[in-house]
Amino acid sequence: MNYGSLKNYYTAIGYKRLSATEVDLNTSHGHEFQGVNAFRDMFGTERCEINATIHYLSDDEDEEDVSQSGTLKWYDSRENNPQRSAEFRLYYPAELNIVQNQAQPDDLIIGAQKPDKSVDILIVQAGSTWEQQLRWLFALEDDEAITGYKTRNIPEQGALDFGSQTIMERLGIELKISDDTYLDDLLITFNGVFPITRVFSGYARNTTQQNSMDDPDGTLIAWLQREEMLFRLMEKHLISERLRQGFEDDVDAFISYSLSVQNRRKSRAGQSLENHLEQIFIDHNIFYSRGKVTENKAKPDFLFPGIDEYSDRNFPENRLIMLGAKTTCKDRWRQVLPEAKRIKHKHLCTIEPGISEAQTNEMRHHDLQLVLPQELHSTFTRKQQDWLMNIDAFIAIVK
C-alpha cells in the first residue's frame, strides 16, 4: 500500500519562528511575513500571486484547528530601487485574519509548497505536539536554531511510513491510493455496503500475512495500514457513485451525506485500533474484558484479567491492569484517568506520533504509561523514548 513519498505532496518548505512584527496587532499593521528573501528558492524573483491555505494548529482541546484559503502576494519591496539589494515580502490580505487572530510570537511557521505551486502555510503553536510532529515530518532537527527563514527542497525518499501517513492525514491531506486490487472483492464480499467495523477489521487482517505472535508491534501497524487502505478504497468508490447520482439541488441532503462520511471516518478509526489490539490479546491467550462498566458508568477499553476480577474486592489490585486505546491524544488522554479507580497506574495505547514533552511529562505526573507500536518511538525525543513502552513489552507485563 504505497502512498508515495513526501515529495509527491510537498516539493519544498520554508520555516522560521514568527516575530511580533508579523502577527501582533499592537506592533504589526502590514499583513506581511518578513525576512523571507530565502523564499526566492521557492517562488522565484518575479512579482506573483500564490494560492494558499493557512492553517493554525494547536493542542488546545477546546479549540479546533482552523484554516482559511486565499491569495498571497510575493513581491520585492525595492523593485523600484534597482541600486538597492532586493527585499522580498510575502503579503497576506486582511481577510486572512487567522494569522493575527490565532498566531503568537515564537509560533513555528512552515510554508510548504505543493507540486502545483500552491502553498500550505502551517502556523504551529510553540511547544505543541503539532510542532514536534511537523519538525519530525520535515526533518527539522531538534537542536536547530530557527531564526530567519530557511528553505529546503524535499528530497526523494522511500514511501511514507506509518508515522508520516498519520501526520499527513491529520493535516487533512488525502493520501493517493495507487492500488485498487481489492476493490472488486470488497464490493462482492460486503454487497457494496460498509459492514460494522469489527467485521471490516477482521477482513483487513485476513488480507495480510502478519503474525502477531512473532511481532505484535509490526503486526498492529500492518493491520491498521491495511484496514485504512481498504476503507479509503471502498469509500472512494461509494462516494463517487453517490456523486454521480447527484443531489438535485438538495443542499440539506448533500450536507447530511457529507457529515455521515466524516462521522463514519471518526468512529471507525478508534474502533479499528481496539479491534486489532483485541485480536493480538486473543492470539497471545491473554484474558481480558473489553468495554465493561466499572465505577460511575465508566467503560475502560480493556481490563486485565477481566471485569470479574476487577469487581472482586479480594482480588489483589496490583494484579489488575487497565489499557485505554485512543488513536490521537490531544487533551483527551485525561479521559482515561477516572476510569477503573482501583487501578492507580494506568496504560494508554495510541498511534499518535510525536506527542509533545509537555504532554508526556503531564502523563507521567498522573501515573499514566504511554504504549505505542515500536515504529512510532522514533517520532519522540530521545528523552521521551526512554520512557515509552511498546506493544510487546505491554504484553509481557500482562502475561
Side-chain angles (χ1 to χ4, degrees):
M1 69 206 71
N2 188 341
Y3 291 110
S5 71
L6 183 60
K7 195 173 181 67
N8 294 125
Y9 302 90
Y10 293 120
T11 57
I13 59 167
Y15 54 97
K16 67 162 278 191
R17 294 282 179 195
L18 285 172
S19 64
T21 56
E22 292 172 287
V23 299
D24 189 339
L25 283 170
N26 295 320
T27 58
S28 172
H29 303 286
H31 302 290
E32 289 179 333
F33 298 117
Q34 301 164 358
V36 295
N37 278 349
F39 275 31
R40 283 180 293 185
D41 295 337
M42 293 167 57
F43 303 143
T45 57
E46 300 296 325
R47 176 186 286 261
C48 65
E49 293 187 344
I50 301 165
N51 293 326
T53 301
I54 301 180
H55 306 262
Y56 184 76
L57 309 169
S58 79
D59 287 351
D60 295 335
E61 186 65 23
D62 296 333
E63 225 177 88
E64 288 290 329
D65 299 324
V66 293
S67 62
Q68 290 179 322
S69 296
T71 302
L72 308 181
K73 293 182 180 180
W74 171 251
Y75 69 100
D76 177 8
S77 63
R78 296 175 176 173
E79 60 187 352
N80 294 324
N81 296 283
Q83 292 82 12
R84 302 181 67 185
S85 58
E87 184 176 301
F88 283 89
R89 302 286 179 89
L90 189 57
Y91 171 85
Y92 57 89
E95 55 266 25
L96 293 179
N97 54 23
I98 182 176
V99 179
Q100 294 184 325
N101 285 350
Q102 307 289 139
Q104 299 294 321
D106 292 330
D107 283 351
L108 178 66
I109 179 172
I110 301 173
Q113 189 176 48
K114 299 179 179 180
D116 65 1
K117 303 302 182 183
S118 65
V119 174
D120 278 345
I121 302 291
L122 310 173
I123 302 175
V124 190
Q125 184 183 41
S128 64
T129 291
W130 267 117
E131 179 180 329
Q132 186 160 321
Q133 290 177 344
L134 293 180
R135 288 174 72 99
W136 178 81
L137 178 68
F138 293 118
L140 311 183
E141 296 83 357
D142 287 339
D143 58 354
E144 187 170 12
I146 301 177
T147 52
Y149 278 100
K150 300 179 182 180
T151 58
R152 174 182 299 169
N153 289 327
I154 301 297
E156 295 287 353
Q157 58 188 38
L160 292 170
D161 59 18
F162 185 71
S164 301
Q165 292 170 28
T166 302
I167 296 169
M168 299 281 277
E169 288 170 350
R170 283 196 71 200
L171 284 171
I173 296 171
E174 290 288 333
L175 299 179
K176 301 165 186 174
I177 302 173
S178 58
D179 183 2
D180 62 356
T181 304
Y182 294 95
L183 181 58
D184 289 341
D185 190 63
L186 280 167
L187 296 176
I188 292 171
T189 301
F190 301 122
N191 198 27
V193 179
F194 273 113
I196 61 173
T197 305
R198 185 185 290 270
V199 171
F200 199 80
S201 296
Y203 175 90
R205 289 193 295 270
N206 290 336
T207 66
T208 74
Q209 302 298 318
Q210 297 294 130
N211 184 343
S212 75
M213 294 299 295
D214 297 335
D215 179 16
D217 289 88
T219 296
L220 178 59
I221 292 287
W223 285 347
L224 289 166
Q225 284 183 306
R226 180 57 58 86
E227 181 172 351
E228 180 68 17
M229 185 272 286
L230 295 174
F231 175 82
R232 292 300 176 95
L233 184 62
M234 187 169 175
E235 181 190 58
K236 182 179 178 180
H237 173 81
L238 296 179
I239 291 176
S240 296
E241 290 295 310
R242 182 66 185 89
L243 292 177
R244 284 194 195 98
Q245 297 172 17
F247 293 89
E248 297 182 354
D249 297 324
D250 188 341
V251 176
D252 289 339
F254 174 78
I255 293 175
S256 177
Y257 180 71
S258 176
L259 289 174
S260 71
V261 170
Q262 295 300 320
N263 290 335
R264 182 171 59 206
R265 286 185 177 187
K266 291 177 182 178
S267 64
R268 182 201 62 85
Q271 294 175 38
S272 171
L273 176 59
E274 290 182 39
N275 291 338
H276 296 312
L277 284 170
E278 181 176 34
Q279 187 59 50
I280 289 174
F281 300 146
I282 291 171
D283 292 346
H284 285 260
N285 295 315
I286 291 173
F287 294 105
Y288 69 92
S289 292
R290 177 179 175 183
K292 298 298 183 181
V293 178
T294 57
E295 303 88 356
N296 301 320
K297 299 183 179 180
K299 291 184 178 180
D301 295 318
F302 294 99
L303 284 172
F304 307 90
I307 188 63
D308 290 339
E309 291 79 7
Y310 184 86
S311 302
D312 181 358
R313 291 295 167 177
N314 294 319
F315 191 86
E317 291 184 351
N318 63 0
R319 293 182 59 198
L320 295 170
I321 295 176
M322 189 208 87
L323 179 70
K326 291 187 181 297
T327 53
T328 60
C329 288
K330 267 200 168 182
D331 284 342
R332 294 186 303 116
W333 60 267
R334 294 184 180 83
Q335 294 171 1
V336 307
L337 297 179
E339 297 174 351
K341 290 185 176 180
R342 289 189 66 193
I343 302 173
K344 303 297 186 292
H345 182 60
K346 295 178 168 64
H347 293 78
L348 174 63
C349 179
T350 187
I351 52 173
E352 180 168 15
I355 298 170
S356 70
E357 284 195 4
Q359 291 276 19
T360 56
N361 287 342
E362 194 171 352
M363 291 176 189
R364 297 179 74 168
H365 175 74
H366 286 283
D367 210 6
L368 178 69
Q369 173 64 56
L370 204 57
V371 182
L372 301 97
Q374 184 63 44
E375 181 180 317
L376 294 178
H377 287 210
S378 64
T379 67
F380 290 73
T381 66
R382 292 187 180 277
K383 182 179 178 181
Q384 290 172 302
Q385 290 177 39
D386 292 338
W387 166 70
L388 296 175
M389 181 180 290
N390 63 21
I391 307 298
D392 191 45
F394 177 76
I395 290 172
I397 288 175
V398 174
K399 284 187 173 182

